[in-house]
């Protein structure tokens, strides 16, 4: 039995399916921890294969490879150095499980299976894993560790069982994705488990981007008296050392790692930067291409791209039409100049003329309408995709959540792209983020400090400039009104009457709801984008495209 224990928290950024790469990260973190005298290194949930692996775990050959890598990692612990607590999909008696495995002394010493499988929002673990039994503690060098895998901490059952069966210290490997307000929720749940069990708790989270999800890290440890032992940084890959001493009242930890969590706008911006950086990097794109309109959405998207990738990997393209104002041309050029990235101008006038000529016989006798507006947007989409095909950069879509909610976007036009950083960001938040970025340089950002978005882009009325004197508010309610209604409908699922009771006009609420419902077919074809809110479009919100709900509402 020991009275001293040094535990390293390895907040790493694995790549789903890249087993050898992930094993390299695990061993590099072990080497770093060993230099600080660590006895044990704790890694995130499913750290060997990356989280979430989704249907990869349905392939037996993939699970065979995972097991080979785990055995190889276990063999490395025969050197007498730190033990490893890693996560991996694991087969037990023919069933697939989400497992935590203790590797020490050259072999697998213990396996604990996740008991509570999440099946909501972006999670569907019940499709691919079987639930494990309520676990008992793991004996590690004379210390009984209670291992809870991610969701196991969100309810009291597992922690209670571990405490009743003799656990001395709770350890929670996680793959918990970022969303606004979630850091506070995690901490409050951890404190609840500490209060219920009287045991200290280590919470270790993954960091990095995986498709729509961004894992923010922000790992922490708490003593039994609910005092914070360690707080690791958000959105950063790192290793923290915690040192634990056994006393008369149990284990007490200490650490020099204490980084305050970012405030909300900094957290949103950090999530967008990391999400884009990893999506581009892990998929092997050389950089990004985006349409630079002189508007605020493309400006903040370009700023995020430069901070994520560096200005040399961001290619902005201004694609003016006869309706594009000189202010927009000037603003786009100034913004690209402030960011230090390349900007080219390619007029879509010739494409518009070609379409007019080509379609004139078919459109004979019909007045110009939204069709011609959409052709402008689609001409821009074709232009960006052609540049992407020729030079390899990924097209970055610039539409925000307000527009995507109500269908104020053009399929195969401004919705073209491989990824979007604004997909889950409402327009009013876009404005707040733009002000924030002009006043702050994000941690780890590769772009310049200081003002990067011209003030006129922020203050001028938003417009798509698809016809003379067009403004967004010709079609949509004021964004402050629209975004509040949308948040009530999308994130909160509120009844229309309750939204009206907040002070909104009844007809406006009904119109926004109709627009939201009718645009589902567009959202199904939108590129993936960073999850920011509690309910992003995609796995979080699954509505049918074909539905009689609107007619039902009209009868009530």
């Amino acid at each position: 039995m020991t009275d001293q224990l040094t535990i390293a928290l390895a907040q790493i950024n694995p790549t789903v399916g890249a087993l050898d790469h992930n094993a390299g990260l695990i061993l590099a973190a072990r080497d770093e921890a060993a230099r600080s005298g660590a006895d044990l290194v704790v890694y995130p949930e499913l750290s060997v294969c990356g989280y979430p692996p989704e249907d990869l775990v349905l392939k037996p050959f993939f699970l065979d490879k995972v097991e080979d890598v785990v055995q190889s990692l276990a063999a490395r612990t025969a050197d007498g150095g730190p033990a490893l607590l890693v996560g991996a999909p694991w087969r037990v008696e023919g069933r697939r499980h989400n497992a935590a495995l203790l590797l020490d002394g050259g072999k697998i010493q213990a396996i604990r299976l996740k008991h509570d499988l999440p099946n909501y929002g972006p999670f569907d673990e019940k499709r691919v894993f079987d639930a494990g039994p309520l676990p008992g503690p793991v004996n590690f060098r004379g210390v009984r560790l209670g291992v809870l895998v991610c969701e196991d901490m969100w309810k009291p059952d597992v922690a209670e069982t571990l405490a009743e069966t003799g656990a001395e210290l709770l350890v929670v490997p996680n793959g918990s994705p970022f969303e606004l307000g979630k850091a506070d929720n995690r901490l409050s749940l951890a404190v609840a488990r500490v209060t219920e069990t009287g045991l200290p708790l280590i919470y270790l989270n993954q960091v990095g981007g995986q498709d729509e999800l961004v894992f923010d890290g922000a790992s922490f440890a708490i003593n039994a008296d609910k005092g914070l032992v360690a707080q690791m940084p958000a959105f950063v890959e790192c290793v923290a050392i915690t040192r634990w001493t056994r006393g008369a009242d149990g284990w007490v930890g200490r650490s020099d790692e204490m980084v305050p969590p970012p405030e909300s706008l900094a957290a949103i911006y950090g999530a967008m930067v990391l999400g884009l950086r990893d999506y581009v990097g892990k998929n092997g794109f050389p950089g990004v291409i985006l349409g630079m309109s002189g508007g605020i959405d493309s400006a903040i998207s370009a700023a995020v791209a430069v901070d994520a990738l560096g200005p040399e990997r961001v290619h902005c393209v201004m694609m003016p039409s006869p309706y594009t104002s000189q202010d927009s041309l000037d603003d786009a050029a100034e913004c690209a100049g402030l960011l230090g990235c390349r900007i080219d101008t390619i007029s879509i006038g010739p494409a518009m003329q070609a379409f007019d000529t080509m379609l004139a016989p078919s459109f004979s006798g019909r007045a110009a309408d939204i069709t011609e507006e959409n052709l402008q947007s689609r001409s821009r989409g074709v232009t960006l995709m052609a540049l992407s095909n020729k030079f390899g950069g990924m097209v970055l879509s610039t539409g925000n959540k307000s527009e995507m909610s109500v269908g104020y976007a053009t399929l195969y036009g401004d919705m073209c792209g491989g990824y979007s950083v604004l997909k889950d960001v409402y327009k009013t938040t876009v404005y707040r983020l733009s002000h924030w970025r002009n006043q702050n340089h994000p941690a780890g950002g590769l772009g310049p400090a200081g003002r990067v978005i011209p003030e006129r882009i922020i203050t001028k009325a938003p417009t798509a400039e698809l016809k003379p004197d067009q403004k967004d508010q010709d079609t949509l309610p004021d964004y402050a009104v629209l975004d509040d209604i949308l948040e009530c409908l999308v994130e909160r699922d509120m009844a229309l009457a309750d939204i009206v009771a907040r002070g909104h006009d009844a007809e406006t609420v009904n119109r926004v709801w109709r627009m939201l419902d009718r645009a589902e077919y567009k959202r199904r074809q939108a590129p993936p984008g960073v999850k920011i809110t509690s309910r992003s479009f995609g796995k979080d919100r699954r509505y049918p495209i074909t539905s009689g709900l609107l007619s039902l509402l009209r009868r009530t």
Side-chain angles (χ1 to χ4, degrees):
M1 181 178 292
T2 180
D3 292 331
Q4 303 289 330
L5 194 62
T6 298
I7 301 178
L9 312 186
Q11 187 171 282
I12 62 171
N13 182 353
T15 299
V16 168
L19 303 183
D20 291 340
H21 170 77
N22 298 340
L25 295 178
I26 289 168
L27 292 173
R30 181 178 189 258
D31 290 343
E32 182 178 342
R35 292 192 291 271
S36 296
D39 301 300
L40 173 67
V41 190
V42 180
Y43 297 89
E45 179 181 13
L46 295 182
S47 48
V48 172
C49 68
Y51 187 86
E54 301 188 278
D55 285 7
L56 290 182
V57 300
L58 301 180
K59 297 185 178 296
F61 88 89
F62 181 71
L63 297 180
D64 292 342
K65 296 294 184 183
V66 168
E67 291 172 11
D68 290 344
V69 170
V70 170
Q71 294 291 353
S72 175
L73 289 170
R76 297 292 289 267
T77 65
D79 61 5
L84 309 177
L85 185 65
V86 301
W90 205 253
R91 290 173 290 198
V92 178
E93 298 178 351
R95 295 177 179 271
R96 291 183 304 273
H97 294 276
N98 181 337
L101 303 102
L102 178 64
L103 315 180
D104 193 21
K107 60 183 180 180
I108 300 171
Q109 296 285 355
I111 301 171
R112 290 297 179 267
L113 309 176
K114 188 173 184 177
H115 174 70
D116 196 343
L117 301 177
N119 202 49
Y120 58 87
F123 308 109
D124 51 7
E125 289 192 30
K126 290 183 179 179
R127 284 185 64 249
V128 296
F129 290 122
D130 288 298
L134 285 167
V138 170
N139 192 329
F140 171 66
R141 301 182 186 180
V143 182
R144 295 187 300 276
L145 302 178
V147 179
L148 309 88
V149 181
C150 198
E151 195 79 9
D152 289 342
M153 190 196 76
W154 290 65
K155 296 176 184 177
D157 301 14
V158 176
E160 180 182 328
T161 299
L162 288 167
E164 290 174 348
T165 51
E168 301 172 70
L169 174 63
L170 301 178
V171 181
V172 191
N174 289 268
S176 179
F178 170 81
E179 66 183 50
L180 275 175
K182 196 172 188 181
D184 290 340
N185 195 20
R186 293 176 191 141
L187 186 58
S188 66
L189 287 166
V191 168
R193 301 295 87 83
V194 169
T195 302
E196 292 156 3
T197 63
L199 300 176
L201 182 147
I202 291 171
Y203 182 100
L204 190 280
N205 194 24
Q206 178 175 313
V207 70
Q210 173 60 32
D211 298 342
E212 297 97 334
L213 302 179
V214 173
F215 299 88
D216 52 322
S219 306
F220 57 86
I222 306 173
N223 273 321
D225 64 2
K226 299 182 284 294
L228 202 58
V229 174
Q231 175 66 67
M232 296 177 70
F235 308 112
V236 177
E237 196 171 14
C238 58
V239 175
I241 302 297
T242 61
R243 303 189 188 278
W244 299 83
T245 302
R246 191 202 305 265
D249 297 322
W251 289 91
V252 177
R254 58 185 174 84
S255 175
D256 296 328
E257 190 75 30
M258 199 65 70
V259 181
E263 54 86 19
S264 62
L265 290 177
I268 294 172
Y269 199 89
M272 293 194 300
V273 166
L274 183 55
L276 179 62
R277 181 181 291 159
D278 277 359
Y279 192 82
V280 170
K282 292 179 179 182
N283 286 295
F285 292 105
V288 298
I289 300 170
L290 72 152
M292 194 73 154
S293 67
I296 195 167
D297 294 325
S298 60
I300 192 68
S301 295
V304 171
V306 168
D307 283 326
L309 307 173
E312 70 282 356
R313 298 177 67 192
V314 179
H315 180 188
C316 298
V317 185
M318 178 56 165
M319 295 168 284
S321 77
Y323 306 119
T324 303
S325 68
Q326 187 61 46
D327 282 355
S328 293
L329 291 165
D330 295 342
D331 292 343
E334 183 183 359
C335 187
L338 291 170
L339 289 166
C341 58
R342 173 183 173 184
I343 184 167
D344 292 329
T345 299
I346 301 174
S347 172
I348 63 166
M352 293 169 64
Q353 293 171 6
F355 276 119
D356 286 345
T357 300
M358 182 178 71
L359 294 168
S362 297
F363 288 179
S364 178
R366 292 182 175 269
D369 55 18
I370 195 173
T371 306
E372 284 74 15
E373 295 179 31
N374 287 343
L375 281 172
Q376 294 174 56
S377 181
R378 289 177 178 132
S379 296
R380 292 184 172 110
V382 168
T383 301
L384 292 173
M385 291 307 300
L387 293 169
S388 175
N389 290 162
K390 185 64 70 176
F391 301 107
M394 182 196 76
V395 174
L396 182 64
S397 180
T398 60
N400 61 66
K401 188 173 186 176
S402 305
E403 296 170 350
M404 293 306 305
S405 296
V406 296
Y408 194 66
T410 304
L411 279 173
Y412 328 120
D414 54 331
M415 289 177 64
C416 278
Y419 202 69
S420 171
V421 294
L422 297 182
K423 184 176 181 178
D424 200 26
V425 179
Y426 287 115
K427 187 77 167 191
T428 48
T429 305
V430 169
Y431 282 102
R432 293 167 58 217
L433 286 168
S434 299
H435 283 295
W436 181 89
R437 179 57 182 89
N438 275 349
Q439 297 163 4
N440 299 271
H441 188 253
L446 302 178
R451 185 174 66 96
V452 295
I453 299 176
E455 188 64 22
R456 186 166 61 189
I457 287 181
I458 299 174
T459 58
K460 67 185 179 183
T463 172
E465 290 191 323
L466 298 175
K467 61 182 180 181
D469 301 318
Q470 185 182 35
K471 299 290 185 290
D472 287 7
Q473 266 57 66
D474 297 341
T475 305
L476 302 175
D478 180 83
Y479 278 116
V481 173
L482 176 63
D483 288 355
D484 187 69
I485 295 172
L486 288 172
E487 185 177 345
C488 292
L489 290 169
V490 176
E491 277 86 357
R492 304 185 196 179
D493 261 334
M494 288 174 60
L496 301 186
D498 293 336
I499 302 173
V500 172
R502 290 168 62 88
H504 292 296
D505 171 69
E507 176 51 37
T508 301
V509 171
N510 277 276
R511 182 163 69 95
V512 171
W513 164 243
R514 290 193 297 270
M515 295 168 77
L516 175 68
D517 183 73
R518 288 171 179 161
E520 185 62 36
Y521 77 101
K522 288 187 177 182
R523 290 190 292 271
R524 292 285 186 95
Q525 300 179 67
V530 182
K531 173 179 167 62
I532 299 293
T533 69
S534 61
R535 204 168 190 198
S536 60
F537 291 124
K539 291 182 180 179
D540 285 355
R541 185 180 187 275
R542 308 182 190 187
Y543 273 69
I545 295 173
T546 305
S547 168
L549 181 60
L550 286 178
S551 61
L552 181 65
L553 284 173
R554 282 194 289 268
R555 296 200 300 270
T556 60

